[in-house]
Amino acid sequence: MARTATPGSREKILCTAGGLFYRHGVRAVGMNQVIDAVGCGKNLLYTHFPSKDDLVAAYLRACRRERDRSSAALNEQVPGDDPAARLRALVGEIAATATRPDFRGCAFRLYLTEFPEDEGEPARVARDYLRDTRAEIDGLVARLDVSDPGQLADRIWLIVEGLYASAARPGTAAAAATATRLVEDLLADATPN
């Protein structure tokens, strides 16, 4: 007779695997390493996650939920419905995240860097997140009274990409401060006084 899984075992596996994937990279972490780190049996792991792709997709979906919660909290902190203030807050939050000592980059970008040709579920989760984040920036910029919203959105997106690319490197704090000032300057130059 098959045993039933212990309550919370799926979350424990996902949390442990997620930490390993984030610290070491998805490619470097095997399922046996996850089993050893969790202290569970192979059957339990594969009951919850039939393949490594299933586990990686679940990890990226968990990262997405966390980013969505952070974004919602950030939107609650920005008074009113000012798109420029929301853009400043968004870039400021990313800059603050990039300077955390435990931050080694965006989980979605890291995955797509490891597996640029992947078309499976993990890549879809990562690409969907990046598409939606870019759409959020495009939508906020579109609400500003600027002559070229596409160009401004491209520039802000490039700053966001640069923040993530500079994470976990010497000088990240200086890069983060420069990025937030650059967005301030772009918004000041693009919007009427």
Side-chain angles (χ1 to χ4, degrees):
M1 175 181 226
R3 294 184 304 180
T4 58
T6 306
S9 59
R10 183 183 191 283
E11 291 74 25
K12 182 178 179 184
I13 293 167
L14 185 56
C15 182
T16 302
L20 291 169
F21 291 152
Y22 187 72
R23 282 190 303 281
H24 305 292
V26 170
R27 190 180 306 275
V29 177
M31 294 298 263
N32 285 334
Q33 187 178 357
V34 173
I35 290 166
D36 290 344
V38 174
C40 70
K42 188 180 287 190
N43 288 343
L44 180 61
L45 174 66
Y46 286 106
T47 295
H48 290 299
F49 305 100
S51 71
K52 185 173 179 181
D53 269 3
D54 293 324
L55 181 56
V56 174
Y59 153 66
L60 292 172
R61 282 192 291 273
C63 291
R64 170 74 189 251
R65 284 189 300 275
E66 183 58 35
R67 288 298 310 142
D68 289 347
R69 278 193 292 274
S70 293
S71 183
L74 186 67
N75 285 337
E76 288 178 13
Q77 294 173 4
V78 177
D81 191 30
D82 178 358
R86 289 188 188 275
L87 285 164
R88 285 185 200 96
L90 175 65
V91 173
E93 189 259 344
I94 294 167
T97 298
T99 61
R100 285 191 341 237
D102 63 334
F103 190 74
R104 61 178 295 267
C106 166
F108 310 102
R109 288 168 175 86
L110 291 172
Y111 180 82
L112 293 172
T113 298
E114 276 193 89
F115 302 95
E117 304 299 321
D118 185 21
E119 296 298 326
E121 184 63 17
R124 280 191 293 276
V125 173
R127 287 188 183 102
D128 287 351
Y129 171 78
L130 295 178
R131 180 202 62 226
D132 295 346
T133 304
R134 174 61 199 250
E136 178 184 10
I137 289 172
D138 290 346
L140 289 168
V141 170
R143 292 175 42 215
L144 298 170
D145 181 20
V146 297
S147 61
D148 192 346
Q151 184 180 60
L152 181 58
D154 285 345
R155 289 176 175 178
I156 292 172
W157 184 250
L158 186 60
I159 291 167
V160 167
E161 290 288 340
L163 280 167
Y164 284 120
S166 70
R169 294 194 178 120
T172 300
T178 300
T180 54
R181 281 193 308 272
L182 186 54
V183 168
E184 288 284 348
D185 293 347
L186 287 171
L187 290 170
D189 290 346
T191 55
N193 294 326

